[in-house]
Amino acid sequence: MVIGKFTNVLFIKRIKKVSLMINFYLSYLYLMKSKSGVNRMEHHTNLYQSDNFIIRRGQNFQMWITLSRPFDPSTDELHLDLKTGSLPAVSKGTHVIVPLVQELQGDRWEAAVVKQDDKRIKLSVNSLPTAVIGRYQLTVETNGANGQVVSTHDPANDIYMLFNPWCEDDSVFMDSEEERQEYVLNDIGRIYYGTQDQIGVRTWNYGQFDDGILAACLFVLEKSGTPASGWGDPVSVVRIISAMINSPDDRGVLEGNWSGDYSLGTAPTMWSGSVEILNEYQKNNGTPVKYGQCWVFAGVFTSVLRCLGIPGRTVTNFSSAHDTDVSLTTDVYLDENLEPIEHLNADSIWNFHVWSDCWMARPDLPPGNGGWQAVDATPQETSQGSFRCGPASLTAVRNGQVFLKHDCPFVFAEVNSDKIYWQRNVDGTFSQIYSEKKVVGHLISTKAVGSDERNDITHLYKHPEGSAEERIAVETACSYGSKAEAYSSPTAEDISVEVLMDGEGPQMGGDAELTIVLRNSSSEKRNVTLHSRVSVMYYTGVHKSMVRKDETDVEVLPNEGRWSVYKYHLWVRRNNILYIVLNVFFLKVPCLSFSFVIATVISCPTLRDIGSHASVSLTEHFVPTLPGLRKLLASLDCKQLTQVHGVSNINVEDKSNAA
């Protein structure tokens, strides 16, 4: 009996000990992730249409933790455990252990109790400004006098960490609030197209805050197969995105198509924003979306940049060169009769090309090369084995410092290469017969900060055309090219050729008349031969078909200029000296004008043939998700007309204010 009683006493004591071992643990975690709450307002993530806990790195955030009993700092220990990526590791920054400290120092991952209410404690948490961005799994580990307990992971408590342009220690820091509002928080933009003489514009919905878009952007990063440990460096991240927006070598977001046949997908001209594209890519588990061209690649790229917190903008370069052999020149090969040798003419000049700029420091480059960087997702040339481009420092490009990474030679050639003409000799060799120094890189354009105006940023990419600084930059760049000896050659300039066009150019279905002016600056008359040709070409500079070509002898008196003709491409020969001028124009399409009413009964009729000067009524149902001044976009696309767009402003009232 005595032994039995003793045993019972021991058994009772053991039960009490077990009770003590499990009575200190996390019972509830409240992340304070409301869109109107302090965390998301202070982190500038309140616009994301998601209930996830979205914050920016390098900035303090707060959370409430409810424990099984009141927290005793003298005996209890607690820390947060954060994991991201497929193989989290402390050494890689993808497994973060956040210790509990008495006072925050602000230069590390750390947490401190700032308020205690019985079993509830409020933590203030600091993150590193270099932290890996992405989705972190959060658990809480408690350690009391009698044991250790790790909370169960709940996906609802995952932390979404973004880059932070508001944090001075983040490499994407931008010190202008007006620019942050434009390049990070503005979800509507303007993309320019056409030619330098006929600039068109379309409104683009970046939609970086739409529900599901942040998840889609992180899905793009995950599909790249790159380790999450590299996702703290914006240079690395934008390089990954540049490769992943196009599809050729990694089944990225968009499949490019310049064929004119888009029957198996959506015509590039039909897209008016990035949301549908990114959502479709994620929904179909990484199947490339059909189809894109440069402005679509760039629009999606800018959406991903802004969504992840990297300041970004969409940029259009008119007369944009595509250098295929790293010569940093745009080369045109002609035969003995001045006819193009098509199989040799791999270089081209696009009427326009669209890419993105992103803002960041460049500690990997010499000082002074931070700021705007050119990045491009259109698959043109490979970079380190993948179709991607950038980030190329605009400062480096401007100064011809093409030896700096990444892809500065290609971007330099796009905006500032000389166009060199080569003629085949009888023995099969080629001689340089002419060079043009001012035909590439004009009116580089982006949407202005805080308005819908066009902002010319050519000066950021190149020195003033023809200036000594610009010529030095070209000479510096070309010395690193594959044809350094072809940098320049003297050309006679007493005959000038200019092609003029009245007004804004011909409309679709109308006549096109160009005026060719030949001027003789010498004191003697000149007899010249005018070679002219009219061709149809894609905006990429690829010729589709020949329309007409002529050859005419012209006598030009001193200081005289005259000639009027419907032409496209001109060669002027005088005494075996060749002058070449290129004029590009496109047939303008009408703008799409529309009005709207608020309807309660919704129908969606099928759109069929539209008569000349006719109106069509189409009803669409949608629910605005953000208050304020918004834009309603519409586009029309058919075989006869493309790039027909319209936009109208809508003032969306806040639901609570309206009530």
Side-chain angles (χ1 to χ4, degrees), residues 291-313:
Y291 294 103
Q293 291 182 6
C294 67
W295 66 91
V296 188
F297 288 111
V300 174
F301 202 161
T302 301
S303 296
V304 178
L305 289 172
R306 293 185 182 184
C307 185
L308 297 180
I310 301 174
R313 62 189 183 188

Side-chain angles (χ1 to χ4, degrees), residues 623-628 651-659:
V623 178
T625 57
L626 290 172
N651 188 29
V652 180
E653 291 188 356
D654 189 284
K655 190 174 181 180
S656 58
N657 293 341

Side-chain angles (χ1 to χ4, degrees), residues 10 70 91 112 201 299 313 348 383 401 415 427 432 530 586 612 634 646:
L10 287 176
S91 61
V201 62
R313 62 189 183 188
S348 59
S383 172
Q401 296 175 328
V415 301
D427 61 0
Q432 182 181 342
L530 177 67
F586 73 96
S612 176

